[in-house]
Amino acid sequence: MDFDVLIVGAGPAGLAMANGLAGSGLRVALVEPQTSTQLSAPDYDGREIALTRHSVALLGTQDVWSRIAIEHRAPLHEALVFDGADTVPLQVRAASGDAQPLGWLASNHAIRRASWEALQASHAATVLDGCRVQDVRLDAARAEVVLNDGRRLCSRLLIAADSRHSQTRRAVGIGAHMRDFGRSMLVCRMRLEQPCPGQAWEWFDHDQTLALLPLHADQASVVLTLPQMQIAPLLEMSVTDFDAQMQLRFHGRVGAMHLTSTRHAYALVGVYARRFSTTRFALLGDAAVGMHPVTAHGFNLGLAGAAHLAALLRNAAARGADIGAATLLARYARAHHARCLPLYLATQGIVDLYTRERAPARIARHALLRAAARVPGFRQGLGALLAGQISMRRDTAV
């Protein structure tokens, strides 16, 4: 079975890559362990994705954004950053006179379903579902993949988008810097007595990190970060006890809180691949860079990388050039590295500063937030970063 592009992983990044190649004339295949039935109706997983304006625009060009139901997306107009017991936060908004939202919140399962529907409508890729990559071989002429059912696939370019623990990345010999933050993230939806429409909270409280992401009406996505041993009891306790526990952790600032969804927990591990490309091979999404969620840019970076690589491949195909050429892949790798590394390092620094509980760290972060609150230019720059007007657009030039 011969293809031009073979994508491993039908998560958001892999689907974005396939959708980005629709109409290019390239023969694209998508390999995914889940079945098509599972891909067409992904389960709610608790995660709400903060999308920049740029990401929403990219999803629009791929016929994805319009397929996300209104109840699964909500505008974000303001971000508040709290430290400890402070009740006066750092406020981040769009620049004066800019009426557009900073970004949007969309359910991860809704993004995946809409991306799958767009792919089915465009027939952009052959989907090989219910199978896994067992072996990979690369040479100057092609990439060859052996599936667990014995099928052999050949392509001019192999793209791995199979999670931050990518087995395909490991198979081709590319290592990654990994950092286990020693904490887990609990996510769920709750109904708030005092909702905060359009307003996201990031709260670095003592011994815990809290986030509140506004959804529709009085609903919000709640994110609680703690050591795993403290997360486990919260997953198992009764709904009534959980409601009381969350209201206590939020110090009653949003009134009574009531669970309206299932609860989910995810271990927090950061990943940065040592290389983003090699012979006939490229990394995409979390397989390239797996971000800590505190800066909310992981999905946006993956989507930007997919858009850039798709643009490079479409341009090469239109010129009759080699889509797997080393120079093309090196260009993608350099641009994606330049886009990702500053945000990755900044995220690591924020996590280090705001999760330490010793007195010097508490004093430093309190002083930093107070100073930032007094500098309008800093707040405006942070707003531009959240909106995706900084760092996300390096990928548009081909």
Side-chain angles (χ1 to χ4, degrees):
M1 299 178 70
D2 291 331
F3 298 95
D4 296 310
V5 181
L6 181 59
I7 305 167
V8 181
L15 289 170
M17 187 70 226
N19 282 324
L21 294 176
S24 66
L26 294 170
R27 296 167 299 162
V28 180
L30 199 57
V31 176
E32 168 59 38
Q34 293 188 86
T35 65
S36 294
T37 300
Q38 292 171 313
L39 291 169
S40 65
D43 293 331
Y44 170 77
D45 61 11
R47 290 178 288 189
E48 307 294 334
I49 308 300
L51 297 168
T52 65
R53 297 175 186 176
H54 187 215
S55 292
V56 170
L58 289 173
L59 291 175
T61 63
Q62 294 183 2
D63 191 30
V64 173
W65 185 245
S66 62
R67 295 176 182 272
I68 300 175
I70 192 67
E71 63 267 22
H72 292 306
R73 64 189 194 191
L76 176 60
H77 295 283
E78 181 181 35
L80 304 183
V81 183
F82 296 89
D83 177 48
D86 283 356
T87 56
V88 180
L90 171 66
Q91 296 177 304
V92 181
R93 300 187 181 96
S96 178
D98 186 350
Q100 295 186 63
L102 277 174
W104 290 78
L105 293 166
S107 299
N108 184 60
H109 74 289
I111 295 173
R112 294 181 61 187
R113 181 171 57 239
S115 299
W116 174 256
E117 290 173 356
L119 183 67
Q120 295 304 293
S122 68
H123 305 288
T126 299
V127 178
L128 305 173
D129 63 330
C131 57
R132 299 177 182 273
V133 172
Q134 184 170 289
D135 190 26
V136 179
R137 298 171 188 172
L138 305 172
D139 60 38
R142 65 180 185 174
E144 183 177 302
V145 166
V146 180
L147 302 182
N148 61 336
D149 59 11
R151 285 181 292 179
R152 292 179 180 269
L153 314 175
C154 294
S155 66
R156 292 195 283 163
L157 175 63
L158 175 64
I159 300 173
D162 52 342
S163 86
R164 64 189 65 198
H165 302 294
S166 171
Q167 292 301 309
T168 314
R169 180 185 66 214
R170 182 182 295 273
V172 302
I174 296 180
H177 300 280
M178 302 185 108
R179 179 178 174 183
D180 188 337
F181 292 97
R183 296 192 168 216
S184 290
M185 174 180 72
L186 183 152
V187 289
C188 63
R189 288 184 175 185
M190 302 194 77
R191 186 174 69 253
L192 311 182
E193 182 182 16
Q194 300 169 21
C196 309
Q199 191 180 82
W201 291 17
E202 187 73 43
W203 188 351
F204 300 102
D205 198 13
H206 301 318
D207 299 316
Q208 64 178 5
T209 302
L210 299 159
L212 203 63
L213 306 176
L215 303 175
H216 283 282
D218 57 358
Q219 299 283 314
S221 173
V222 172
V223 184
L224 171 64
T225 302
L226 291 168
Q228 174 60 32
M229 62 184 296
Q230 296 179 40
I231 289 284
L234 292 168
L235 295 171
E236 298 168 0
M237 66 176 51
S238 70
V239 171
T240 300
D241 289 343
F242 181 80
D243 290 347
Q245 179 67 207
M246 295 308 295
Q247 184 176 333
L248 180 65
R249 288 183 177 277
F250 274 89
H251 300 190
R253 293 188 184 182
V254 291
M257 304 175 70
H258 302 283
L259 184 67
T260 60
S261 74
T262 50
R263 289 165 274 185
H264 303 263
Y266 300 94
L268 295 178
V269 179
V271 176
Y272 201 97
R274 297 180 187 276
R275 287 181 291 163
F276 292 165
S277 69
T278 188
T279 304
R280 299 283 166 183
F281 180 79
L283 289 171
L284 188 65
D286 281 0
V289 181
M291 297 278 286
H292 188 289
V294 69
T295 53
H297 269 318
F299 179 87
N300 296 294
L301 287 172
L303 187 58
H308 183 206
L309 184 54
L312 290 172
L313 298 183
R314 294 175 73 96
N315 181 271
R319 294 183 288 108
D322 183 1
I323 63 168
T327 52
L328 182 152
L329 298 181
R331 184 175 179 181
Y332 159 73
R334 284 193 303 270
H336 201 48
H337 178 74
R339 182 188 308 112
C340 294
L341 186 60
L343 281 172
Y344 184 81
L345 294 177
T347 299
Q348 300 273 29
I350 290 171
V351 172
D352 285 340
L353 178 61
Y354 283 95
T355 56
R356 293 176 183 171
E357 290 304 321
R358 292 186 176 182
R362 289 187 181 186
I363 294 170
R365 69 198 192 201
H366 181 81
L368 180 62
L369 278 180
R370 297 284 70 77
R374 292 192 292 269
V375 181
F378 176 85
R379 297 198 306 273
Q380 292 170 4
L382 187 55
L385 178 62
L386 292 175
Q389 296 170 301
I390 298 175
S391 296
M392 293 296 169
R393 297 201 177 183
R394 298 179 185 180
D395 57 352
T396 54
V398 178

